[in-house]
Amino acid sequence: MTRFERIARASARRPGRVLAIVAVLAAVGCALALRLEPSAATDTLVGRSADTFQATERYREKFGDHSVIVLVRGELSNVLLTSNLGRLIGLEGCLSGNKPAKQEAPGGPTGPCGRLAALRPVKVVYGPGTFANASAGEINDQLQARMQAKAAEADRAGNAARRVARAQGKTRAQQDKLGESARQLVYAELVRDLLQINLKYGLGLTGLPSVDDPNFVSALFFDPARGATTPKARFAYLVPSSKSALIQVRLKPTLTDEQRAQAVSLVRAAVRMPQWKMKGDASYTVTGAPVVAEDLTDALAGSTLRLLLVGLAVMALVLCLVFRSRLRLVPLAVALAAVAITFGLMSLLGASLTMASIAVLPVLLGLGVDYAIQYQARIEEARPAGDAARAARTAAPVIGTAALATGAGFLVLLLSPVPMV
């Protein structure tokens, strides 16, 4: 007697106990399966030991996680050369988690900006507003430092000229005039240096740079040689075209899946705040790898239930139309128990719901129903002759062998380099 026959005979002798055990296992499996978390993380696509995964992890540690991208759609002249630039600067500051000193974050402590400032999930933000503001501040600092140095140099040159004039016996008025001439000569050198900076960087400065000065911002971002509103090629990571700008929000690589999902949600909420709404024909779109991953995770969670319900409905309909047994829905119950136990074991093993595991759900249901139908059909055929028990014993090894062959076929998937497969 084969092992399958012994199992079948023992089950037939105590059907109530077997059904109770299966029901308990299915219930426990169902409870455990509810703990499964959908995942679209990179480690479901590439093994952790792979060189590409290790290189990606090193990149994330140094530069932050993949960027959440806020795409600003609209003419750059409207986005950068109007009051919209101030809104862009405010939004980028909000997304970075920075708030004005000794002031509440825009929207209050419970708003998206306040929560981003409290949680600090963002490593760095790159955007045209921050770049323009930082550029103006850096240039101002450099100019102020240079002007202070030139002022001290002018004072020294004026004093030296006065001493020389005094030694030559010139009058006080002549001494002052020569001293002022020496001072002006030094300041002329400063003007010359500023002109050289203007020519070198094409800034067109006529005074101290400011983000409120459209001439400065235009000279900073646009390349007149390529068109009045064509951005400079070297700033393509900020302004890739004349009708779009990009804000890159790099998240910290140490965030958990839950923290990353919360960060993406807060970025979306911040972008929707009325303070940052663009004037004119301009708008925001939130995208990027973390956003796509979170949307995919949500889609996986929703598709699991839909797949299960649709699969159950279709199989129940087919069984009712094709299978003439009085207990025609028993195979479906058996398949459901198998699915519950399988996904419960996945939870115990620490697996997660991926696209592959969800895709195999209808396959698993179909196989469970198929084996149960075959087994039940043989018993139903032998029941009139009184050989149902014998039919059950003879069917067990055939169906069991088929199940083992199917399992062996699925084991080949372990050779795939993609973890979720």
Side-chain angles (χ1 to χ4, degrees):
M1 184 183 297
T2 66
R3 180 174 300 175
F4 288 119
E5 288 179 304
R6 287 196 294 270
I7 293 174
R9 176 169 290 183
S11 300
R13 284 199 300 265
R14 302 177 181 83
R17 184 176 300 177
V18 171
L19 288 174
I21 292 173
V22 171
V24 169
L25 288 175
V28 172
C30 185
L32 290 172
L34 293 175
R35 295 164 41 192
L36 285 171
E37 291 291 336
S39 175
T42 53
D43 58 359
T44 66
L45 302 173
V46 182
R48 290 181 173 271
S49 59
D51 292 340
T52 51
F53 183 87
Q54 298 296 331
T56 301
E57 288 301 295
R58 289 193 295 270
Y59 172 84
R60 291 171 67 241
E61 289 173 5
K62 290 182 178 179
F63 302 105
D65 206 348
H66 300 293
S67 295
V68 176
I69 302 295
V70 180
L71 174 62
V72 188
R73 300 174 183 270
E75 295 288 344
L76 281 187
S77 56
N78 178 46
V79 172
L80 299 179
L81 304 182
T82 66
S83 59
N84 283 332
L85 181 58
R87 296 180 181 87
L88 211 57
I89 294 172
L91 173 60
E92 292 171 21
C94 167
L95 295 177
S96 66
N98 296 326
K99 66 181 185 67
K102 299 180 181 179
Q103 295 182 28
E104 279 192 353
T110 59
C113 299
R115 294 176 65 190
L116 284 168
L119 297 174
R120 310 292 293 183
V122 176
K123 185 179 180 69
V124 66
V125 171
Y126 301 108
T130 303
F131 177 76
N133 200 36
S135 298
E138 181 66 23
I139 294 173
N140 275 325
D141 290 343
Q142 293 294 330
L143 288 177
Q144 294 287 356
R146 184 164 294 191
M147 288 174 68
Q148 290 175 1
K150 284 296 182 182
E153 183 180 344
D155 289 339
R156 290 195 296 271
N159 293 333
R162 288 189 183 90
R163 286 196 297 271
V164 172
R166 188 182 307 115
Q168 293 174 349
K170 296 184 181 297
T171 66
R172 182 62 179 268
Q174 290 174 324
Q175 294 174 22
D176 291 341
K177 184 177 180 179
L178 290 173
E180 186 61 27
S181 296
R183 286 172 55 85
Q184 292 301 322
L185 183 61
V186 173
Y187 282 120
E189 293 177 356
L190 175 61
V191 173
R192 182 200 63 194
D193 293 344
L194 291 179
L195 289 174
Q196 289 176 344
I197 293 174
N198 276 342
L199 291 173
K200 182 178 180 180
Y201 297 104
L203 296 178
L205 292 175
T206 56
L208 292 178
S210 169
V211 292
D212 297 326
D213 181 3
N215 293 325
F216 164 70
V217 178
S218 178
L220 183 65
F221 283 105
F222 298 124
D223 185 357
R226 302 172 62 201
T229 59
T230 302
K232 295 177 180 177
R234 63 177 176 271
F235 297 143
Y237 69 102
L238 297 173
V239 281
S241 74
S242 61
K243 294 185 178 181
S244 61
L246 293 179
I247 302 174
Q248 300 183 43
V249 184
R250 285 199 173 275
L251 303 178
K252 291 179 179 177
T254 55
L255 299 180
T256 63
D257 289 344
E258 183 179 355
Q259 290 171 331
R260 190 178 298 108
Q262 186 180 21
V264 170
S265 177
L266 289 174
V267 169
R268 281 176 157 158
V271 168
R272 291 194 299 267
M273 291 176 67
Q275 291 96 318
W276 322 129
K277 183 176 175 60
M278 290 278 178
K279 300 294 183 182
D281 188 17
S283 61
Y284 301 110
T285 300
V286 181
T287 183
V291 177
V292 174
E294 291 306 320
D295 288 347
L296 182 57
T297 299
D298 293 340
L300 290 177
S303 65
T304 304
L305 181 59
R306 285 195 299 272
L307 269 177
L308 182 60
L309 292 177
V310 171
L312 289 176
V314 171
M315 290 183 183
L317 179 62
V318 172
L319 288 174
C320 290
L321 294 176
V322 177
F323 204 34
R324 298 302 178 185
S325 170
R326 181 170 56 87
L327 301 175
R328 64 187 69 179
L329 293 181
V330 168
L332 188 56
V334 171
L336 275 176
V339 168
I341 292 170
T342 302
F343 278 74
L345 284 172
M346 284 176 56
S347 179
L348 283 178
L349 294 173
S352 57
L353 283 177
T354 66
M355 290 180 288
S357 59
I358 290 174
V360 85
L361 178 57
V363 178
L364 185 58
L365 274 174
L367 286 173
V369 169
D370 179 46
Y371 293 134
I373 287 176
Q374 292 185 47
Y375 196 78
Q376 187 177 359
R378 294 207 179 194
I379 295 173
E380 292 292 335
E381 289 172 359
R383 193 180 300 278
D387 292 335
R390 184 172 179 275
R393 291 196 301 272
T394 56
V398 176
I399 295 174
T401 302
L404 286 177
T406 304
F410 276 112
L411 285 175
V412 176
L413 295 176
L414 290 175
L415 300 177
S416 171
V418 181
M420 70 175 176
V421 173

